[in-house]
Amino acid sequence: MIKFKKILQISGIFAISLAAAACSKNGAADNLSSQESVEKQDLRSESVKTKSDATDGKKLSGTENDKADIYVQKLTPITVIHSKKTEQSPESKSLRLSYYCGLKVEDKGYDELNKIFAKLEAENKNELYKYIEHNRDKYAVDKDSEQGAESFDYEGEINLSIKIKRADDIAVSFLEETYEDFGGAHPLNANKSRNFNSKTGDEIKTDDVITDRTKFYETLIRLIEDDERSADFFDDYKKIIKDEIENDSLTWVLLDRGIQVILDPYEVASYAVGQIDIDIDANENPELFKKGFFTDKKSYTKYLKPGYKETLRLSSENEAISVGYDIETNENTDGSNKNYDKITIDIGDGDLEPKTYDLSGFYNFEKDSSAVLHTEEGGSWLYVNSEAEGSKLKVDIFKLTPKDSEFAGSYDGAIWDYLSSPDNFIIYNTENIFGNHIVYRHYFINDKGLPETEDKAYTYAYYEGLDNMMLRSSMKAFELNELDDTVGLEVMLEKGTVFSCVKTDLESYCDIKTNDGKFYRVNITVKGNNIKANDILQEKLMLQQNADSDNYDPIKGGL
């Protein structure tokens, strides 16, 4: 069964989770009701897997790892994209469903993993509809109203989204974050972890990564006890975690330098304590891990949430230090009609004065909108997404040192919903060339902390069923060899041809792929919002598939 986790979502391709503030589990207000307890247990129960018979007393061989031997020399980031669909439940007009779709690796050579993703999506949607069918009593539906039509006491909502934690040529790890709200005191929440071998598509299991479950348990408990929130945990939380490790129901994901364990609300503490994330670093605990999964590079990326502080290394010479920020929204700045929010960056534990800056636009609280990128050379920068006037995406960049912060510059676009490394990360933007689409390029950080790219063209993030185009009239194009970008003979694509966009330089061409698998280059001219091919405005030349149906509609003027 799907596990449910509280999230907020936007009408795009991203989703996030927000942790609740910590407070005591004592008192009747914090106690989980018996009904909620049963629901939570039911939601988690079907995700428990039987442990491999190959283990002996939960201890495995290989605990004498040489520290240097467990690391891989290089992790090559890959591009994983996904979309979201929202629809009305067939069981109730009051119930809104959202679920991720279109999950795939865009890089070549990952066909087996993409097959697993497609199968996973189908299974998840099937489970979602089964769950709805078996819980009709939660929807507060009165089908026998006096008017003879359905009436509803409140609207319900179920979201199944995704949060990618790692994506490279070794492994792809993500959380299925789900959320169920039927109008009670608060929603039901849970995560389910997914860890896959990037090449084979095989699931990566606990025993593939961990050398000794007992030592893993002891290390995890030690790290949990270092968290001040552990004082509010249930009395039997250690037994709960031990049982979950033994029966393979513990939620964990691979990071590039270790693993992250996720403890849901109600799992080891009351709902108010929120979600607990515990990172176990392979460099600090090499005896826990097997070979071939992690890197020992000093560089890292770390998402930050407003109002929370993390202990991070900001330079190669200094020890880790507390880093955080907060957002002052437009309504609270100075009463004027300014089109931006303010950010206050706080370094240290009160010994340094926080500094406040104007963002380029409005901060998006509904996704992970900021991250620290730390380079191998020891530099650290905070990248913050915002939306400027006219829905323009912006990244504001701040240099971080153990003693100060400083504005470094801004860049058009937004950081992707996961960052592989400071040497290879994605900035995306929205463009209206041959329809309204998301396009992206790969970047690295230069010595000034700003993003730099060697990509000459932008790649379209293509979502099947959302981004297909159809010609309203014939269009001239040139045959294209996708392997080396050599242009061939001129051809005429007929009216009714269905295609998807592949790449564009935003100025002179757009490469497309027709539904028969052939590639073509179309020459374009761009003057402001006027995009032409064959001297014909794109609005007159083609239609774009409707996200909620199989119909094709006129191209809209913007995203």
Side-chain angles (χ1 to χ4, degrees):
M1 174 52 62
I2 298 170
K3 298 172 66 181
F4 287 84
K5 164 77 187 108
K6 184 178 182 181
I7 57 171
L8 296 173
Q9 295 195 352
I10 57 173
S11 298
I13 65 171
F14 307 111
I16 67 157
S17 62
L18 297 177
C23 71
S24 172
K25 71 182 178 71
N26 297 323
D30 284 335
N31 288 336
L32 177 63
S33 69
S34 58
Q35 179 182 355
E36 289 169 330
S37 298
V38 171
E39 290 170 343
K40 179 68 178 180
Q41 184 176 358
D42 289 343
L43 290 171
R44 295 181 57 86
S45 61
E46 293 188 30
S47 68
V48 176
K49 303 184 184 75
T50 303
K51 183 184 172 299
S52 171
D53 293 334
T55 60
D56 180 16
K58 307 303 178 186
K59 283 198 171 186
L60 304 173
S61 61
T63 58
E64 300 301 323
N65 283 352
D66 183 339
K67 184 175 180 178
D69 287 344
I70 71 169
Y71 301 114
V72 295
Q73 293 297 316
K74 182 181 180 181
L75 296 176
T76 302
I78 59 177
T79 305
V80 179
I81 67 170
H82 55 97
S83 184
K84 185 190 80 169
K85 281 190 176 181
T86 300
E87 62 186 48
Q88 179 181 290
S89 168
E91 295 290 330
S92 169
K93 292 181 179 179
S94 69
L95 180 61
R96 184 171 64 255
L97 305 178
S98 296
Y99 52 90
Y100 73 85
C101 60
L103 178 66
K104 67 175 182 177
V105 180
E106 291 219 314
D107 306 73
K108 295 178 181 178
Y110 297 92
D111 294 343
E112 294 304 315
L113 184 57
N114 282 334
K115 290 177 184 178
I116 296 298
F117 285 168
K119 181 180 179 181
L120 182 63
E121 285 183 29
E123 291 174 351
N124 281 341
K125 186 175 180 181
N126 186 47
E127 284 187 6
L128 183 63
Y129 275 83
K130 283 183 178 179
Y131 180 79
I132 293 168
E133 184 179 354
H134 294 149
N135 291 273
R136 295 182 182 180
D137 57 317
K138 295 182 180 180
Y139 307 150
V141 177
D142 179 10
K143 294 188 176 182
D144 299 321
S145 62
E146 295 180 0
Q147 291 78 17
E150 295 179 346
S151 63
F152 312 97
D153 294 338
Y154 62 83
E155 288 193 356
E157 180 179 3
I158 298 179
N159 287 327
L160 173 60
S161 64
I162 189 172
K163 178 62 181 176
I164 298 174
K165 307 294 283 190
R166 173 174 166 175
D168 53 54
D169 57 338
I170 299 294
V172 173
S173 291
F174 58 87
L175 290 173
E176 289 178 342
E177 301 180 320
T178 51
Y179 161 91
E180 175 191 324
D181 185 7
F182 292 108
H186 42 66
L188 289 176
N189 317 283
N191 282 290
K192 184 171 184 177
S193 51
R194 300 286 191 177
N195 303 289
F196 295 101
N197 181 302
S198 298
K199 291 296 186 182
T200 66
D202 294 336
E203 181 184 359
I204 298 174
K205 299 181 180 181
T206 303
D207 295 338
D208 297 326
V209 180
I210 301 299
T211 59
D212 189 313
R213 293 194 180 210
T214 300
K215 289 183 178 179
F216 173 56
Y217 165 76
E218 293 169 351
T219 302
L220 179 57
I221 293 300
R222 174 175 55 81
L223 293 171
I224 288 174
E225 290 176 340
D226 290 340
D227 190 312
E228 60 183 16
R229 290 173 292 181
S230 63
D232 294 322
F233 283 11
F234 299 149
D235 293 338
D236 61 345
Y237 83 88
K238 293 181 181 180
K239 182 181 185 304
I240 293 172
I241 291 174
K242 186 176 182 180
D243 289 345
E244 290 183 351
I245 291 174
E246 290 182 351
N247 61 33
D248 286 320
S249 62
L250 185 72
T251 303
W252 62 273
V253 288
L254 287 165
L255 307 177
D256 59 352
R257 293 163 52 88
I259 69 170
Q260 183 178 80
V261 174
I262 298 92
L263 302 174
D264 292 328
Y266 292 141
E267 189 168 353
V268 295
S270 64
Y271 181 85
V273 172
Q275 178 179 312
I276 308 295
D277 298 340
I278 305 294
D279 290 354
I280 304 179
D281 193 294
N283 190 52
E284 297 175 1
N285 305 276
E287 73 283 355
L288 290 181
F289 299 106
K290 294 185 177 180
K291 300 178 182 180
F293 291 101
F294 309 113
T295 176
D296 63 346
K297 283 190 173 183
K298 295 180 175 63
S299 61
Y300 68 82
T301 61
K302 180 68 176 180
Y303 280 98
L304 298 182
K305 295 183 175 70
Y308 292 86
K309 301 190 80 172
E310 297 280 353
T311 302
L312 303 173
R313 250 182 322 103
L314 297 184
S315 73
S316 56
E317 296 84 15
N318 299 81
E319 294 183 357
I321 192 170
S322 179
V323 183
Y325 72 93
D326 216 337
I327 300 296
E328 188 177 5
T329 58
N330 177 261
E331 293 80 8
N332 298 324
T333 50
D334 59 5
S336 64
N337 188 27
K338 293 180 179 177
N339 294 319
Y340 56 83
D341 291 332
K342 291 179 179 288
I343 183 171
T344 298
I345 300 175
D346 188 6
I347 298 174
D349 295 315
D351 48 336
L352 300 174
E353 187 71 22
K355 296 180 71 171
T356 299
Y357 307 87
D358 295 335
L359 292 175
S360 294
F362 296 116
Y363 184 88
N364 189 340
F365 288 91
E366 296 185 332
K367 66 180 296 290
D368 282 353
S369 293
S370 69
V372 173
L373 288 78
H374 180 82
T375 66
E376 197 71 16
E377 294 73 27
S380 296
W381 286 270
L382 177 65
Y383 276 47
V384 183
N385 289 344
S386 67
E387 186 173 313
E389 192 171 358
S391 299
K392 294 180 180 178
L393 300 178
K394 285 287 204 179
V395 184
D396 291 319
I397 301 159
F398 304 89
K399 183 178 180 179
L400 304 179
T401 70
K403 295 185 177 180
D404 200 8
S405 63
E406 175 185 359
F407 178 70
S410 297
Y411 197 86
D412 289 339
I415 55 175
W416 204 247
D417 65 335
Y418 72 95
L419 295 174
S420 300
S421 78
D423 301 324
N424 191 333
F425 60 95
I426 289 174
I427 290 180
Y428 74 94
N429 215 328
T430 54
E431 295 292 343
N432 186 23
I433 292 182
F434 283 15
N436 302 295
H437 303 279
I438 292 170
V439 299
Y440 65 87
R441 294 193 295 187
H442 290 264
Y443 291 80
F444 59 91
I445 289 183
N446 62 24
D447 56 2
K448 296 181 179 178
L450 301 179
E452 193 169 318
T453 183
E454 296 178 350
D455 293 348
K456 293 181 173 60
Y458 291 83
T459 300
Y460 284 77
Y462 169 66
Y463 307 108
E464 188 173 357
L466 300 176
D467 288 339
N468 284 324
M469 309 297 297
M470 178 185 289
L471 291 180
R472 304 174 73 174
S473 62
S474 59
M475 181 176 70
K476 182 170 63 178
F478 296 89
E479 294 177 344
L480 181 69
N481 185 326
E482 63 162 323
L483 299 178
D484 58 13
D485 281 352
T486 54
V487 177
L489 298 175
E490 178 181 314
V491 298
M492 188 66 70
L493 301 179
E494 299 299 324
K495 175 183 177 180
T497 298
V498 174
F499 67 91
S500 59
C501 299
V502 180
K503 288 186 178 181
T504 179
D505 65 352
L506 303 182
E507 296 176 354
S508 63
Y509 71 87
C510 181
D511 294 342
I512 66 173
K513 179 182 179 182
T514 55
N515 59 348
D516 60 359
K518 296 179 180 179
F519 290 82
Y520 300 91
R521 175 159 293 179
V522 182
N523 294 329
I524 63 173
T525 58
V526 180
K527 292 184 178 179
N529 293 324
N530 293 325
I531 316 298
K532 290 184 178 181
N534 302 168
D535 279 334
I536 303 174
L537 287 171
Q538 63 176 355
E539 298 95 299
K540 297 181 178 180
L541 189 59
M542 60 192 69
L543 301 169
Q544 183 164 7
Q545 188 171 13
N546 189 307
D548 299 320
S549 71
D550 294 329
N551 299 326
Y552 286 83
D553 298 328
I555 297 174
K556 297 179 181 179
L559 286 174

